Amino acid sequence: MENNFETLIATYIENKVGISEHFLSNTLANNLKLNLIALNNKSLLVDAGIGNAEKVSYDGAIRSDSIYWLDKKHNNAFENEFFAQIEEFILYLNRSCFAGITSYEFHYSLYESGDFYLQHLDQFKNNPSRKYSMISYLNADWQESDGGELLIHQQNNNQKIAPTQGKTVFFKSDELVHEVLITNNTRMSITGWLKSD
C-alpha cells in the first residue's frame, strides 16, 4: 500500500499532479462501483451543485453530474474500507510531507452520457479548508472513445487523464484549474478533498 502512497506523492512533487494507477484494488473498486449503481437505482443521488453549503447554486450549463456523499454513519463495508485507506494515506502524507491534514470529505460522482463539468478550482473563495483534491475512478474497460477525461490546465503542459478503474489523481485544491470533458459513457468516481480545518 505504501508504494501506491509514495507513487502518488512522488508524481505530485514532480508535476503538481499525483497519479497512482492502482491506488484502489480491483476488488474494492468493483464493490464501490456496485454500491454506487445500487444507490443510483434507488434514486438516492442528487444533482451536483456549485459552491459550498454557505453559497450553493445549480447550473446544468456548468456541471451536469450527480453525487452522493459518503459518510461513516452509513456503515457501508466498502465505503469504510475506502475511508480506512484514505486515513492511512493521510497519516503517510502528514508524516512524510508535514501536510497538516486533519479531515476529509468524499462523494460518489456519476456522469451519464453527455455530462461534463466546466473549468473550475476546487477551493472555495469563502472557505480555504480544502487543501488537496483526490479522485478515484471506478470504470473498468474504459476506452478512449468514451471521453470523460479529466483535463488539468497547466502552463504549457495541460494533462488529459483517462478515468480508468483503480486510478487515483491527487493535486492541490487551490492551484490547478481543471474540467471533466464530455463523457460518452457512464462514468463513475469517488471525488473528495483532504482538509485542514
Side-chain angles (χ1 to χ4, degrees):
M1 187 61 65
E2 286 197 356
N3 285 341
N4 287 324
F5 297 169
E6 188 56 38
T7 297
L8 209 54
I9 293 169
T11 51
Y12 163 76
I13 291 170
E14 180 181 349
N15 201 32
K16 295 188 176 181
V17 180
I19 300 176
S20 173
E21 295 288 343
H22 306 290
F23 187 86
L24 297 184
S25 69
N26 272 333
T27 299
L28 179 55
N30 279 328
N31 285 327
L32 290 166
K33 175 172 54 184
L34 290 173
N35 194 48
L36 171 51
I37 291 168
L39 291 166
N40 188 48
N41 288 341
K42 294 176 184 176
S43 301
L44 293 176
L45 275 71
V46 298
D47 291 342
I50 302 156
N52 59 5
E54 297 170 26
K55 191 177 180 182
V56 65
S57 62
Y58 299 89
D59 188 341
I62 295 174
R63 178 180 190 180
S64 54
D65 60 315
S66 54
I67 65 170
Y68 179 91
W69 287 98
L70 278 65
D71 193 317
K72 284 187 175 179
K73 293 177 183 176
H74 299 156
N75 201 28
N76 179 276
F78 308 120
E79 292 174 17
N80 287 344
E81 184 179 347
F82 174 79
F83 286 142
Q85 187 167 330
I86 291 298
E87 288 166 5
E88 284 185 44
F89 175 66
I90 289 171
L91 287 173
Y92 189 88
L93 180 67
N94 284 342
R95 186 172 67 244
S96 59
C97 301
F98 306 101
I101 300 304
T102 57
S103 64
Y104 56 83
E105 59 183 3
F106 284 89
H107 62 65
Y108 288 116
S109 187
L110 175 67
Y111 288 75
E112 302 285 9
S113 182
D115 285 346
F116 59 89
Y117 191 172
L118 298 184
Q119 294 183 30
H120 63 283
L121 278 173
D122 281 349
Q123 192 180 85
F124 301 123
K125 292 180 180 179
N126 64 347
N127 185 339
S129 64
R130 288 180 175 178
K131 301 304 179 186
Y132 294 96
S133 302
M134 291 187 73
I135 308 145
S136 296
Y137 295 111
L138 310 175
N139 308 296
D141 304 317
W142 196 260
Q143 305 297 315
E144 186 175 352
S145 59
D146 292 329
E149 295 94 343
L150 175 68
L151 179 59
I152 297 181
H153 296 267
Q154 290 181 278
Q155 189 172 7
N156 302 319
N157 187 31
N158 290 348
Q159 288 193 63
K160 191 183 286 187
I161 300 168
T164 52
Q165 179 159 298
K167 180 187 294 178
T168 291
V169 181
F170 171 77
F171 54 91
K172 283 196 77 175
S173 300
D174 66 345
E175 192 169 73
L176 297 180
V177 172
H178 55 286
E179 62 184 301
V180 176
L181 302 180
I182 292 175
T183 184
N184 302 315
N185 204 342
T186 301
R187 177 192 189 273
M188 293 171 280
S189 66
I190 294 180
T191 298
W193 300 273
L194 308 186
K195 303 171 70 177
S196 181
D197 295 320

